Amino acid sequence: MLRIFNSQSRKKEKFKPIKDKEVSIYVCGMTPYDIAHLGHAFTYVFFDVLVRYLAFSGYKVNYTQNVTDVDDDILRTAKIENKNWKKLGDFWTKKFTQDMEYLNVLPPTHFVKATGSMKRIKKIIQKLLDKNYAYSSGGNIYFDIAAFKNYGKLSRYSRHQMIALSRERGGDPSDPNKKNPLDFVLWQKSKKNEPAWIAPFGTGRPGWHIECSAMVNQFLGDRVDIHGGGKDLIFPHHESEIAQSESYTDKTPFVKYWMHTAMILCNGEKMSKSLGNLIMINELRKYYSGDDIRWYLLSNYYRKPFEYDEYDLKESKKKLLLVKEALEDKKGTIGNFKSDMKTFEALMDDDLSTPETLKFVLELAKKVKKTAGKNKIAFQETLGSVTSTLGFRF
Ligand SMILES: [Zn+2]
């Protein structure tokens, strides 16, 4: 039975979806204003493996991933580059999709844009206003965290930490229109040349957090089995999603299992544009196949931060070659090796332990090379089934 680490309880828990045999997953997607880097690839390859493994385990998976296509970052970049914000978004969304295809990341069931959920965004905000979870001030609508008693339950940060992080991650705790520095924007007045939507509470554009709450609600319902994203989204983004969604639906918990991927470091620091230490996927594509990059990423445990090392990426190429040779080795007669599949499942069931699973794949490849006849084909079949479940092309 699958056990996954829930960032909410901070424990490995038995996975039991809300509906039997059906799983709903939402993963926060990209903001299309720049090129995708290895940190993005790590998150989406990991969730791709999770989705593939759930399907392999017999679940019907509804996987929704969004594109944050209207947001401060895009509008700022569009202004600097003197481009149309929509065209800029479409351009980078296309680049992102091409990178994901290269990495053999399966398209989500629903790949949705925030601007496509404007009706739901407005409906939620109106209800939050009606229920006094939100207030209007200075032409903006804010979520009133004092009305939601569990704000902070996911991150468990102190108020002091939350204020500091909010400032670091695009919030504005000093905004004089707020009752509380941690209140966050649901709807804001559009500046000159910014896109604007007509709403009963004022013409403007949505805040970042409400977009995800609305898309989850529209495509997956009031509650969702798994919600994921990079670890840096825990606060304020996911914390605020919980506050909005639970206040809107009165159903709790909004998310049954929260899953977060760790950060990849480069030169000892988190990859970031400002530090200039980003490893871009399109650069790696010049030298490595999608399988090489996938192997490298999966040889790292999803919850553990790691330092980017090109040596390991080169080693991944060699390991893949060994597996490829084993798969292409001459075939014998058909057999069945259930025990190896059981080992694979036990490793994956343990919170998707992909580094251990890849070690097992290598052992299996070595077995194929050493074995002849009936056993060989059985090992090969297992190897083929395991590697395709992990999303390798070969
Ligand atoms: Zn999100």
Side-chain angles (χ1 to χ4, degrees):
M1 186 182 208
L2 175 62
R3 283 158 56 86
I4 55 181
F5 184 88
N6 188 347
S7 315
Q8 175 75 73
S9 66
R10 303 192 184 175
K11 282 186 198 124
K12 278 186 199 171
E13 294 178 10
K14 279 184 187 164
F15 180 67
K16 206 176 171 303
I18 300 161
K19 284 187 202 162
D20 196 33
K21 288 288 158 198
E22 258 186 66
V23 182
S24 54
I25 305 186
Y26 184 89
V27 176
C28 288
M30 47 102 64
T31 304
Y33 71 105
D34 204 350
I35 204 154
H37 59 73
L38 201 60
H40 298 122
F42 187 46
T43 296
Y44 302 116
V45 165
F46 170 72
F47 282 104
D48 179 61
V49 169
L50 173 65
V51 167
R52 286 171 185 268
Y53 187 64
L54 287 167
F56 165 87
S57 305
Y59 293 105
K60 183 174 178 285
V61 185
N62 183 346
Y63 176 23
T64 300
Q65 193 192 115
N66 73 296
V67 178
T68 309
D69 66 337
V70 57
D71 162 273
D72 292 345
D73 289 325
I74 300 179
L75 299 176
R76 193 183 51 244
T77 310
K79 202 174 169 190
I80 293 168
E81 297 180 1
N82 197 22
K83 285 182 181 141
N84 172 286
W85 65 277
K86 218 167 177 30
K87 281 189 183 151
L88 182 85
D90 288 346
F91 176 82
W92 288 116
T93 304
K94 198 173 167 203
K95 290 271 177 212
F96 172 81
T97 310
Q98 286 166 348
D99 281 340
M100 292 303 116
E101 276 168 12
Y102 189 79
L103 297 170
N104 204 23
V105 169
L106 295 172
T109 325
H110 304 285
F111 187 55
V112 293
K113 291 180 176 179
T115 49
S117 287
M118 217 42 86
K119 212 171 149 188
R120 187 66 57 108
I121 290 171
K122 290 191 262 182
K123 186 181 170 193
I124 297 175
I125 296 174
Q126 187 58 57
K127 197 161 174 190
L128 292 175
L129 280 165
D130 295 345
K131 290 168 92 175
N132 289 324
Y133 283 108
Y135 61 92
S136 170
S137 173
N140 300 330
I141 309 289
Y142 297 93
F143 187 90
D144 183 359
I145 65 144
F148 183 75
K149 66 177 190 304
N150 288 321
Y151 194 73
K153 71 177 174 180
L154 176 66
S155 64
R156 303 189 201 173
Y157 289 138
S158 67
R159 181 179 164 82
H160 180 74
Q161 284 171 308
M162 287 197 270
I163 292 175
L165 275 169
S166 157
R167 183 170 287 121
E168 205 180 286
R169 296 175 180 169
D172 182 6
S174 326
D175 178 351
N177 294 318
K178 291 180 182 178
K179 288 192 210 166
N180 183 319
L182 287 172
D183 290 348
F184 54 90
V185 171
L186 295 169
W187 192 257
Q188 58 203 313
K189 266 192 303 195
S190 299
K191 293 190 194 112
K192 202 176 162 240
N193 297 329
E194 281 185 353
W197 285 263
I198 296 164
F201 35 80
T203 298
R205 62 181 178 93
W208 170 34
H209 315 311
I210 194 69
E211 297 181 347
C212 280
S213 276
M215 287 181 274
V216 172
N217 194 268
Q218 183 171 340
F219 295 94
L220 298 170
D222 288 348
R223 294 184 65 213
V224 61
D225 291 308
I226 299 171
H227 191 321
K231 204 163 186 233
D232 54 347
L233 294 183
I234 292 179
F235 187 87
H237 188 51
H238 291 163
E239 197 75 75
S240 304
E241 270 190 57
I242 294 174
Q244 296 162 156
S245 297
E246 292 187 359
S247 305
Y248 172 67
T249 64
D250 289 322
K251 288 179 189 157
T252 183
F254 161 51
V255 172
K256 201 163 178 197
Y257 306 90
W258 281 100
M259 293 182 85
H260 293 97
T261 47
M263 300 290 111
I264 305 181
L265 309 173
C266 191
N267 304 324
E269 306 216 52
K270 186 194 152 184
M271 281 192 209
S272 80
K273 205 177 175 182
S274 54
L275 290 170
N277 62 350
L278 294 176
I279 307 293
M280 309 299 187
I281 303 168
N282 74 332
E283 267 304 305
L284 295 179
R285 282 174 62 168
K286 292 178 188 162
Y287 312 100
Y288 300 98
S289 71
D291 276 357
D292 295 339
I293 303 169
R294 180 175 279 259
W295 186 288
Y296 170 63
L297 293 171
L298 295 180
S299 66
N300 292 283
Y301 190 48
Y302 82 92
R303 286 195 281 124
K304 206 170 153 213
F306 64 95
E307 174 82 27
Y308 169 70
D309 189 342
E310 196 170 1
Y311 174 81
D312 293 337
L313 189 49
K314 285 182 181 150
E315 284 297 300
S316 300
K317 209 182 214 0
K318 288 185 203 162
K319 288 170 186 164
L320 271 162
L321 200 63
L322 198 144
V323 179
K324 195 171 186 302
E325 281 170 7
L327 282 167
E328 287 168 357
D329 219 339
K330 278 196 177 148
K331 290 182 177 179
T333 50
I334 292 177
N336 186 6
F337 270 69
K338 286 201 172 99
S339 65
D340 285 306
M341 282 316 278
K342 286 266 171 290
T343 308
F344 167 66
E345 286 171 45
L347 292 169
M348 291 294 281
D349 277 348
D350 184 15
D351 194 29
L352 290 107
S353 183
T354 58
E356 295 304 316
T357 307
L358 292 188
K359 282 181 200 160
F360 162 73
V361 168
L362 276 184
E363 287 309 310
L364 204 55
K366 285 175 191 161
K367 265 200 236 176
V368 172
K369 293 189 102 175
K370 277 189 219 150
T371 317
K374 192 177 169 185
N375 287 355
K376 187 185 202 78
I377 184 79
F379 286 136
Q380 264 176 334
E381 276 191 345
T382 310
L383 188 59
S385 168
V386 164
T387 50
S388 75
T389 306
L390 293 170
F392 290 102
R393 283 193 176 101
F394 287 106

